Amino acid sequence: MFNQAVADRLGLHPTDLQCLNLLTLEGGPVTTGRIAELTGLTTGSATRLVDRLERAGYVVRERDAGDRRRVLVATVPEKSAEFGRMWERLSGGWSALFDDLDDAELALIIGHMRRTVEFSGAQIARLRAEKA
């Protein structure tokens, strides 16, 4: 519900919001194929996602200088800054949730989160393998 509320505020679909998060973490332009890998979408769905982000002004498509046949998807700096400012406004309270925890408690939470991510990754791979 949180992601939906943020997406609504930005005028995006929740999947587009998650993709935008991933793109900002990538640190540079990526191909639509890479977006498909990051999101688990098909390349066709990833292309439609990029179309929506482009229409909303969050990304642009540009030719790869090293290989003019490749098209890269780059975030728009001004929109990324706007996106970042919104996350900054929302993130202050999240950090405070951990202020009263000691190192052992934090380690327990971090360990649980890592195991959850690893387990989820294994389950995703299993589901995709069963589909084939």
Side-chain angles (χ1 to χ4, degrees):
M1 290 174 52
F2 175 76
N3 283 337
Q4 182 67 58
V6 172
D8 289 347
R9 180 66 175 262
L10 294 173
L12 297 173
H13 185 278
T15 302
D16 300 355
L17 174 66
Q18 292 301 322
C19 180
L20 195 53
N21 277 325
L22 294 170
L23 288 174
T24 59
L25 294 173
E26 282 293 291
V30 298
T31 64
T32 302
R34 175 68 178 145
I35 291 171
E37 289 173 24
L38 291 169
T39 60
L41 296 171
T42 64
T43 54
S45 293
T47 297
R48 288 188 295 282
L49 184 151
V50 171
D51 290 344
R52 290 190 304 269
L53 287 175
E54 189 174 40
R55 276 193 305 276
Y58 285 95
V59 301
V60 293
R61 288 178 167 102
E62 53 189 38
R63 292 276 176 205
D64 184 341
D67 180 351
R68 301 289 297 156
R69 296 170 295 177
R70 277 179 25 139
V71 175
L72 299 174
V73 178
T75 56
V76 173
E78 298 81 19
K79 290 295 261 186
S80 292
E82 176 186 317
F83 182 66
R85 284 189 299 276
M86 187 213 48
W87 278 121
E88 285 174 17
R89 283 193 314 271
L90 296 172
S91 69
W94 293 103
S95 304
L97 293 174
F98 301 100
D99 286 347
D100 64 340
L101 301 177
D102 63 32
D103 289 345
E105 291 169 318
L106 288 172
L108 178 68
I109 291 170
I110 291 167
H112 171 72
M113 292 175 79
R114 284 188 178 138
R115 286 189 305 278
T116 300
V117 168
E118 290 170 9
F119 182 76
S120 295
Q123 295 304 319
I124 290 167
R126 180 176 155 211
L127 288 167
R128 289 184 178 153
E130 288 175 358
K131 185 172 106 175

